[in-house]
Structures are given as structure tokens and as C-alpha cells.
Amino acid sequence: MDKSKFNFWSWRGTIDRGPYALIGVILFLLKHNIDRLVATGIFHRPWSLFNYWVPPTQAAGILTLSNPDIKLLATMLAISLPFIWVGVTLTVRRLHAIGLPAWLAVIFFLPIVNLVFFVVLSVVPSREGAKGVTHRPSGRLGDFLARLIP
């Protein structure tokens, strides 16, 4: 078994669309629940999906944040660092698999656009001959499964 396929910390290699999508969704659900537990349990603040796009305060800017808001946002940033690393490395590996340049991983940091980017990377098939990518068997059953399951 090739252990490099399961190394979420490495920039090397490729990842196929199915594992990329599955890991991405699982990591998002895990991170959201950790964020929700920290925000509600430690900071006594509600947390929802909209908090990723709308700041948890009515402050106009970072210089006007209250001390509790600074602590909350610093904690959320610290929690997010391993998820950012894994997300970027998996995105770079997915870009390698479909033959696109790794610098496109900067899209990972663009709000809302990154969701469309994730869907595109989860749907576009891997390039034939990309190192480390396995492809489905051909034939009627293989073609049917390829259409049914990415």
C-alpha cells in the first residue's frame, strides 16, 4: 500500500477527486463542530456557518475589536491552522492530478469562490498518466460507476 496517498501533510503526489471531496467534506464538518464547541462552550457565543463569512461582531474593523472578540478570533485562527495546511496541501495535490499549476491553490483563500473551486476540483477527472492516480476500470460497469460515483 502506498502510504504517501494517506499523508495529508505532504505536498507531493496527487489525489483523485473522490478522496479529495470526501476528505474535504469530513474536515469541514469536523472543523465547524470544533469551532461551534469552542465558540459556544468557551466564549459563550453562537456559531453558525455564516460566521465564516460575517465577522462575529458589529465592529467596523480590526482596530476596533473588543478584547473578547480578539480572543475569540485568535483562538479560531489557531484552531484553523492545521486545517488550512491540510486543505492547501490536498488542493495542490489535486491540482497536480488534473494537470493545473499549484499556484491556483491561492483560490482556497477566496471566500465563496473557494466553494465553487472545491466543487470543480471534486468533479474534474484526474489527468491520465498523472503519477500516483488510480483510475476506474473501463467497460460498461466501470463507465457506469464512473458516472455514478466520482
Side-chain angles (χ1 to χ4, degrees), residues 4-71:
S4 68
K5 290 182 181 186
F6 301 103
N7 185 353
F8 299 145
W9 304 102
S10 173
W11 299 92
R12 295 180 184 197
T14 60
I15 187 168
D16 208 6
R17 59 188 172 169
Y20 176 78
L22 181 64
I23 293 167
V25 169
I26 289 170
L27 288 176
F28 171 76
L29 293 173
L30 177 64
K31 176 158 183 335
H32 174 68
N33 281 300
I34 291 170
D35 290 348
R36 187 176 51 80
L37 290 171
V38 168
T40 58
I42 296 174
F43 293 97
H44 310 291
R45 301 276 190 92
W47 193 263
S48 73
L49 293 175
F50 297 108
N51 287 103
Y52 295 112
W53 296 289
V54 179
T57 181
Q58 298 299 325
I62 195 162
L63 298 176
T64 60
L65 289 173
S66 68
N67 195 32
D69 285 339
I70 291 171
K71 288 179 181 177

